[in-house]
Amino acid sequence: MLYEEVKKNKVLQDCAYIFFKNSSNKNTSYNKALDSAFKAIEIRVKNGIYFSKLWKFVRCDLDDENYTEARYEFFDTLEEGKESCFKELPFDPMLGNGELEYKEVCTLDEKPNSFRLDQSQENCFHVMEVLPYEPKGEYACIWYHAYEGVGFEVLFVGTYDKCAEYAKSSAKKVCADFKDGEYTEYYDQVVVDTGIEWQIWDIVKLPE
C-alpha cells in the first residue's frame, strides 16, 4: 500500500486523531499527528508485532437471551474474524427497524487492532467482538460483562490451572466490592452477579 493510500485509511486516521487529542503539545498539527501514528505503526510492523505466528484472534459472541453463555470462534487474522461477523448476522438488516453498528478499534500499544459489531432489533441484541491474543498456552481466561452494556477482554493465556486461578482471584476481588454480590464457580467459568449486572470469567480451550 502506497503512503498516500495509507493516509486515507480510516483506522489510521483514528490513530492520528488519538495522537492529536492526547498530545501534550497543543501546537501539534493533525498532519504531524498522522505522521506520528504512521511511525508508531511502522515500528510495530518492523518489530514483528503483526506476524501471524505471534497473534491469533478470537470472536466473542453474546446475545440478550444468554448473558452467561458467550460463544467463541477462532481465526488466524483480524480480517477473517471481521468477515465472519458479517456472514453470520443474527438479524436480517433489511427487515424491521433494527440497528447495525461496527468499528475497528485502533490500538497504539503492542496489540493488533480489534473489531466490534453491535446489532439490535426490537428488544433483542447481539454483540460480536474480535480480539487478539498471543497463543502462548492451551487456555485463555476471557472476561466479559453483560446487562450494563457488553464488553469482552482476553485477560490471560496459559495452562488451565493458571487461567482458573486468575479467574477465581479476579472474580473474588470484584465480588467483594458489592454488598449483595453473588459468587458462583464452575469448572470452566466463574460468575459474579453484582446485583447490577453479570460479570463472567470463562476458561476457554484454545485451538492447537
Side-chain angles (χ1 to χ4, degrees):
M1 186 180 291
L2 298 177
Y3 183 74
E4 290 303 320
E5 293 176 335
V6 172
K7 290 180 72 172
K8 298 177 182 179
N9 185 285
K10 179 62 170 60
V11 174
L12 299 187
Q13 289 174 3
D14 290 343
C15 286
Y17 177 74
I18 294 173
F19 266 106
F20 182 76
K21 183 178 179 181
N22 296 333
S23 175
S24 59
N25 181 3
K26 299 307 179 183
N27 293 322
T28 299
S29 68
Y30 176 79
N31 286 334
K32 287 184 178 180
L34 191 61
D35 288 336
S36 296
F38 294 145
K39 288 178 181 178
I41 292 170
E42 181 182 15
I43 291 173
R44 287 161 60 191
V45 172
K46 287 183 177 179
N47 287 337
I49 297 300
Y50 283 120
F51 286 178
S52 60
K53 65 180 180 180
L54 296 181
W55 292 99
K56 300 295 183 181
F57 295 84
V58 54
R59 194 187 87 193
C60 313
D61 288 47
L62 195 71
D63 60 43
D64 58 287
E65 295 184 353
N66 303 286
Y67 283 118
T68 63
E69 299 178 14
R71 296 172 297 284
Y72 303 100
E73 191 171 347
F74 300 90
F75 302 92
D76 289 331
T77 67
L78 177 63
E79 290 303 317
E80 291 174 348
K82 289 167 59 177
E83 184 178 348
S84 75
C85 292
F86 291 105
K87 284 184 176 180
E88 300 176 26
L89 292 175
F91 311 121
D92 188 338
M94 302 303 292
L95 300 176
N97 298 318
E99 296 182 357
L100 175 64
E101 298 180 356
Y102 56 88
K103 63 179 179 179
E104 184 169 335
V105 182
C106 177
T107 175
L108 300 178
D109 57 18
E110 294 183 348
K111 292 183 180 180
N113 293 342
S114 59
F115 177 78
R116 179 182 175 105
L117 184 149
D118 293 81
Q119 190 176 24
S120 62
Q121 197 165 85
E122 296 180 350
N123 295 322
C124 303
F125 74 82
H126 194 102
V127 175
M128 302 179 185
E129 287 194 30
V130 182
L131 304 176
Y133 70 92
E134 293 181 274
K136 293 183 176 181
E138 297 180 351
Y139 290 84
C141 176
I142 301 179
W143 169 88
Y144 61 97
H145 70 104
Y147 194 76
E148 289 291 312
V150 173
F152 288 87
E153 185 177 356
V154 179
L155 296 178
F156 185 84
V157 175
T159 64
Y160 167 82
D161 289 340
K162 290 291 186 181
C163 287
E165 180 183 351
Y166 193 102
K168 294 172 187 177
S169 175
S170 300
K172 288 176 181 178
K173 289 179 181 178
V174 169
C175 190
D177 289 335
F178 294 89
K179 180 180 179 181
D180 298 322
E182 295 183 8
Y183 176 96
T184 307
E185 185 180 307
Y186 304 97
Y187 175 78
D188 58 357
Q189 185 184 72
V190 181
V191 179
V192 172
D193 180 356
T194 68
I196 302 173
E197 66 169 0
W198 299 95
Q199 292 198 36
I200 297 95
W201 291 257
D202 279 345
I203 303 166
V204 181
K205 182 71 170 69
L206 299 176
E208 296 181 358

